[in-house]
Amino acid sequence: MYLVGKKTLLHTSLDVANEYKEIAEKDLKAAQLLMSNGLYNEAYYYYIQSMEKNIKKRICEIIDVTNPFFANQMRDIGHSLDDAIEFLLRLISGNNEVMYQQIKKQIVETVLKEIRFSSVHNNVRYPYFNRHKKEYIYLNITYDDCIEIQKMEKNLKVYLEELYRIQ
């Protein structure tokens, strides 16, 4: 049996956060390279991936994801940027619904322009079937779309750094 890669053990939540940071930076670099080569759908996908890892990095800095309870919650987030944002919002705001709504408005509306990334994530990579129209659709990303998500990725990183002030 051929074993792929070399495992790196991550012992603490901060180790996991640092790994997410490195992966996010690599995803960002991949997005930039793909975009510069006209591979806009692929670039867009990697911008989403970078944002997801930056959110997860922030989560790992707040809670101990090596705790089995939180590890299961992280697993349940999967690769969903939307679910990762929701989890982060709940962590930061706790039971304060006003704070939750305010931070959600800032992240979802202002920074991420109300894009439902759960849909976009797969639609930039695969044709999807629209049951209402009874046809397949493929989402073609443009250069301008990549410029917009590039801005979102930068603004999200800045916003996540500012969230340290709330804690």
Side-chain angles (χ1 to χ4, degrees), residues 103-156:
I103 296 171
K104 182 176 183 175
K105 181 176 178 137
Q106 291 170 355
I107 291 178
V108 174
E109 291 179 24
T110 305
V111 176
L112 301 177
K113 303 185 188 252
E114 297 186 89
I115 295 174
R116 288 187 43 216
F117 288 99
S118 297
S119 298
V120 176
H121 180 263
N122 281 331
N123 295 350
V124 299
R125 301 192 60 202
Y126 306 102
Y128 64 96
F129 188 71
N130 182 318
R131 291 186 304 212
H132 301 294
K133 294 184 179 184
K134 298 180 183 174
E135 61 190 5
Y136 276 91
I137 300 170
Y138 184 68
L139 183 62
N140 286 299
I141 299 298
T142 67
Y143 175 80
D144 290 337
D145 294 324
C146 284
I147 292 295
E148 284 302 312
I149 198 165
Q150 187 178 59
K151 290 176 192 173
M152 288 180 222
E153 189 276 337
K154 286 179 187 176
N155 291 336
L156 180 64

Side-chain angles (χ1 to χ4, degrees), residues 23-37 39 42-44 46-47:
I23 297 168
E25 289 170 0
K26 290 175 186 177
D27 285 347
L28 177 59
K29 187 174 183 177
Q32 292 165 339
L33 287 168
L34 290 163
M35 184 177 163
S36 69
N37 285 290
L39 299 167
E42 294 77 6
Y44 204 91
Y46 274 97
Y47 278 117

